[in-house]
Amino acid sequence: MENDNKNIRYETVAAIDMDTISNQKDKQKDIIWRFIKDNNIKQRNEQGDGKEDVDSFGEIDFVGFGQLTTTRKPYIRVAEDTSVETLWKLMIDKWEIPKPKMIISVTGGTTNFDFEDDRLKILFNQGLFKAAISTDAWIVTGGTSVGVMKKVGKAIKKESERTTENEVVALGIATWNIIDNKKVLTNTSSKKGCWPAKYAERDLKWEDRDGFKLRALDCNHTHFILVDSGEKTYGKELELRARLERYVAIDDGKKNGEIVKRTKSQQEENIAIPVVLVVVEGGCGTLETVYNYVNQNNTGDGVEGQARKCIPVVIVHGSGKAADIIAESLRLTEEVAFEDAVKELNDDIHLMLGNTESKSVEDCKTWLKEICGDRSRKLITVFNMDDAELKDIDRAILRGVLQAFPVSTQLDLAVELNRCDIAKEEI
């Protein structure tokens, strides 16, 4: 009889606990829905020529992708001109992501990219993961299951299985209209989100009725911002992604000859987070991205009302295509004029572009020339995957970050990032 009473008490406590958890989840859903409403976050309408209330947000439950855990992943669909300050508050305050000490933004190949051998793959996987874990960094990519983005997702999954340390935040910022099976991410009836959205591997089509190649979201990323410009074109997320990364990178002080001031909101939240762009392979679009990140004169994707902040870049030499072309351009222009250097790389540029218009070739040369300029090249670190002296890519990433800051602040930054080993070697 006494055992029966104990069982009843245990069952009652368990039921109460489940009710408490359920109530907490319902409250969290309502908080996020209210935040979206209060901040007037919008998405594009079906025609793409106007805006409407967001009906695509909540948590994604990936089904059938071979992942070991069933952790649900927060996501939201937003118009391309959404305030990055609002998105930051959503991630930190509502999604409750731990504020990063650094952001590692990875860009590059978006098709059938792979490393030449397992040694290079292991080097990249372990180095990227170590850089993120040791500095409490976020990793930011395009968030889909192709190219470098897929490799980053697999690296996080594999290395996470080898350690009991904290989860690495992998933020995927993707273009809404190129996402496969995106209909399951939408709740048009109540417009209060999907909790969860069942995103199943078996439901993927890989292309639409027009033959347009679609991309699946990568199940190993932890959070998603899906950028809706109303257009079915790759890369429409890049401007918002750059604005977001510059928003957190804005800092008081004089950087590269330009005065950059934080907004009142940024000062109150103490946002001044180092950001570094890591380039792996890539094509013409990657060259343009590097150009935009290191070229302060281009104001196309600056933070609202702010002077533009240059962001340091790490080139993974040996990964192919755009990354190798940039690395070789920098090496050659140390000894010869750019016009002579680009002649040696002309065939590589054409091979990278494939069957594209000649105007694209000229664009690439223009961007390369700016990248090789005296001011831009100071922001670029080349990591040679075959260089025995640089055993870890994480060290190259940290070097890249430090060189973008005045010498007087580099030691403090290295300590803040928990990397006193880098301070001893580099400062």
Side-chain angles (χ1 to χ4, degrees), residues 189-383:
S189 56
S190 70
K191 288 187 177 292
K192 286 199 171 183
C194 301
W195 307 91
K198 292 286 186 179
Y199 195 81
E201 194 274 340
R202 64 176 178 273
D203 295 330
L204 299 177
K205 305 298 182 185
W206 301 109
E207 65 178 40
D208 62 15
R209 288 177 293 182
D210 300 324
F212 183 86
K213 299 294 184 184
L214 300 172
R215 294 175 179 172
L217 293 174
D218 183 75
C219 66
N220 295 309
H221 283 66
T222 58
H223 303 78
F224 295 91
I225 295 175
L226 307 178
V227 183
D228 186 2
S229 68
E231 302 174 71
K232 189 169 65 176
T233 307
Y234 302 119
K236 287 298 178 180
E237 81 285 358
L238 293 175
E239 183 178 342
L240 185 144
R241 175 175 166 181
R243 285 195 292 117
L244 178 61
E245 290 170 356
R246 281 203 169 82
Y247 172 74
V248 300
I250 292 293
D251 189 15
D252 285 325
K254 193 170 184 179
K255 301 291 177 62
N256 297 313
E258 296 289 338
I259 297 296
V260 180
K261 290 291 185 181
R262 290 182 287 170
T263 65
K264 182 179 179 181
S265 172
Q266 288 171 302
Q267 291 169 349
E268 290 172 352
E269 296 183 22
N270 193 28
I271 299 174
I273 298 168
V275 179
V276 60
L277 180 72
V278 178
V279 179
V280 184
E281 204 224 35
C284 185
T286 301
L287 285 179
E288 184 178 11
T289 297
V290 174
Y291 162 75
N292 284 329
Y293 275 60
V294 299
N295 181 15
Q296 199 168 37
N297 294 326
N298 184 347
T299 58
D301 59 359
V303 177
E304 298 95 329
Q306 301 297 309
R308 178 150 165 157
K309 175 78 167 67
C310 291
I311 288 176
V313 176
V314 174
I315 305 295
V316 182
H317 189 200
S319 59
K321 295 174 71 174
D324 287 3
I325 289 172
I326 293 172
E328 284 301 300
S329 296
L330 292 169
R331 182 184 65 82
L332 290 170
T333 51
E334 289 180 353
E335 300 177 355
V336 301
F338 176 79
E339 289 70 22
D340 294 327
V342 80
K343 289 178 182 177
E344 291 192 35
L345 298 171
N346 198 53
D347 289 344
D348 291 331
I349 294 173
H350 280 273
L351 184 63
M352 175 186 69
L353 292 173
N355 299 320
T356 57
E357 299 178 1
S358 58
K359 182 177 182 296
S360 295
V361 175
E362 293 308 311
D363 286 341
C364 287
K365 291 179 180 178
T366 298
W367 296 324
L368 269 177
K369 186 173 183 178
E370 292 296 330
I371 289 169
C372 293
D374 290 341
R375 187 170 65 177
S376 296
R377 69 191 302 137
K378 291 177 182 178
L379 289 165
I380 300 174
T381 299
V382 176
F383 171 72

Side-chain angles (χ1 to χ4, degrees), residues 62-98:
F62 286 92
V63 180
F65 289 85
Q67 68 274 28
L68 295 179
T69 63
T70 56
T71 304
R72 295 175 178 177
K73 317 296 179 72
Y75 76 99
I76 188 170
R77 168 189 177 188
V78 299
E80 79 286 358
D81 58 355
T82 299
S83 163
V84 292
E85 182 176 347
T86 300
L87 290 176
W88 177 258
K89 289 179 179 178
L90 171 69
M91 291 187 289
I92 300 299
D93 297 338
K94 308 308 175 187
W95 286 355
E96 299 180 345
I97 311 177

